[in-house]
Each structure stands twice: as structure tokens, then as C-alpha cells.
């Protein structure tokens, strides 16, 4: 599940000129897909709601093609609904109890829309592990827009977005998974 909210345009490092959280996410997912052997992968994107980008498949080449197309403009509403992404991912799996199931959420952890922790707990109760990869910095960075300006709030103040590691960790714990920082090379 890939966060495509506008905050993912911000730098993934303390250097404002560093690669964006979205670019970091794509690099991380590319590595994950390369390591798949007999596993399946699907892609869900989320911001204000969640959408299936690619159904679960064994086709890693197609997964990479779909991954390359992911951007923050592909969803109609902004926000961050991690719980909706978890729910959609849960519904994507087969009912086969012998199949191991895991969700990987790549996000900056700024959840504004729903109760992601409760949804992660529901996934765990169904035998689905929820893992979270955090991208961004706790220090925070501004969000560059296509017009070259920085994103501003309704009061005209420049928005600073921060990695919410505590939220990301809480989701992983509730989902019986692990939290890892996606900021290291």
C-alpha cells in the first residue's frame, strides 16, 4: 500500500534537495519486487481513499510497470486514509488460511482520515501481518508543488510535513508486523 498524498512530494531526507518520499518509495518497492520468488504482489495507492493500482499477481515485470506510473495526481481526493488501504488490502487476499499474508504500507505516517490502528488490529485477527515502512524525517520538510511554489495552508503559511514514526509504529504493532525506516540506502 503506497501513500500518494501530497506530503509524499516532500524530501525523504533532511536535505530539502534530496529525493522525494515518493521517489524513495518507488526505489524501496522496486527492491521488494526484485526479491519476490514464488510470492505474489499487488499494489494499492491511497490518499483520501484507497484504490487498487494492480491486483495481486506473480508478474513482477507488470508490477514494476504499474509502480513506475504511481504519482500523487492519480487520486481524486487528498488526505491520508491508511485504514482504508489496509481494508482494501485485506479484501484482496484469498480466503485460503494456509497462505501467508502480509501487507506492507509505505507512508510518512500522517494519517488524517480514519483509525488505521484499529484496521491493522482487524487484519492481524484475520492472520494478515501489517508492516510499515516510514519515509520522511521527523524534522520535517516542505512540500514542493508543480508550479515551483511550496504548498501553503488555508492561512497562507508554508506547510511542513513530518514523518509520524509513532503512528507508523503503532500501526505495525497492532498489525503484528514490524516498523522499519525506509530512509537508509
Amino acid at each position: 500500500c503506497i501513500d500518494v498524498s501530497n506530503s509524499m512530494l516532500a524530501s525523504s531526507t533532511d536535505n530539502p534537495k534530496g529525493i522525494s518520499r515518493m521517489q524513495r518509495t518507488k526505489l524501496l518497492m522496486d527492491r521488494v519486487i526484485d526479491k519476490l520468488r514464488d510470492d505474489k504482489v499487488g499494489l494499492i495507492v491511497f490518499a483520501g481513499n484507497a484504490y487498487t493500482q494492480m491486483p495481486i499477481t506473480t508478474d513482477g515485470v507488470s508490477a514494476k510497470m504499474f509502480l513506475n506510473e504511481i504519482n500523487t495526481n492519480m487520486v481524486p481526493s487528498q488526505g491520508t486514509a491508511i485504514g482504508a488501504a489496509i481494508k482494501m488490502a485485506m479484501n484482496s487476499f484469498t480466503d485460503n488460511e494456509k497462505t501467508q499474508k502480509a501487507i506492507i504500507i509505505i507512508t510518512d505516517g500522517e494519517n488524517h482520515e480514519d483509525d488505521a490502528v484499529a484496521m491493522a488490529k482487524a487484519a492481524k485477527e484475520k492472520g494478515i501481518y501489517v508492516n510499515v515502512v516510514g519515509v520522511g524525517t521527523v524534522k520535517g520538510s516542505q512540500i514542493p508543488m508543480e508550479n515551483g511554489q511550496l504548498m501553503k495552508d488555508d492561512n497562507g503559511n508554508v506547510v511542513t510535513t513530518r514523518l509520524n514514526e509513532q503512528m507508523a509504529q503503532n500501526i505495525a504493532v497492532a498489525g503484528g508486523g514490524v516498523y522499519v525506516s525506509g530512509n537508509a540506502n
Side-chain angles (χ1 to χ4, degrees), residues 4-139:
V4 294
S5 61
N6 282 330
S7 63
M8 295 296 282
L9 296 171
S11 176
S12 64
T13 67
D14 286 334
N15 177 356
K17 301 288 185 192
I19 69 169
S20 73
R21 297 170 186 179
M22 182 60 64
Q23 292 166 314
R24 173 72 68 197
T25 295
K26 288 181 178 186
L27 290 171
L28 293 168
M29 277 305 304
D30 193 65
R31 290 180 190 162
V32 168
I33 293 168
D34 281 345
K35 295 195 181 295
L36 296 177
R37 295 296 171 248
D38 294 325
D39 297 316
K40 296 180 181 180
V41 63
L43 296 172
I44 292 172
V45 296
F46 64 95
N49 207 335
Y51 306 89
T52 299
Q53 172 72 0
M54 184 191 76
I56 293 177
T57 182
T58 57
D59 186 353
V61 172
S62 291
K64 284 188 170 195
M65 286 181 4
F66 277 94
L67 177 66
N68 286 332
E69 297 302 316
I70 292 175
N71 64 70
T72 59
N73 295 321
M74 65 189 319
V75 295
S77 62
Q78 281 297 315
T80 309
I82 298 172
I86 295 170
K87 183 176 182 179
M88 182 165 280
M90 288 170 51
N91 293 332
S92 300
F93 290 113
T94 177
D95 289 334
N96 183 347
E97 292 182 15
K98 293 180 183 178
T99 303
Q100 291 183 346
K101 302 168 188 93
I103 298 169
I104 301 171
I105 300 167
I106 304 179
T107 182
D108 56 24
E110 290 188 326
N111 190 57
H112 304 291
E113 310 300 321
D114 54 22
D115 191 346
V117 172
M119 195 53 66
K121 185 176 180 183
K124 180 181 175 186
E125 290 169 0
K126 290 188 172 215
I128 302 169
Y129 298 99
V130 179
N131 304 289
V132 181
V133 178
V135 291
T137 66
V138 176
K139 177 182 170 187

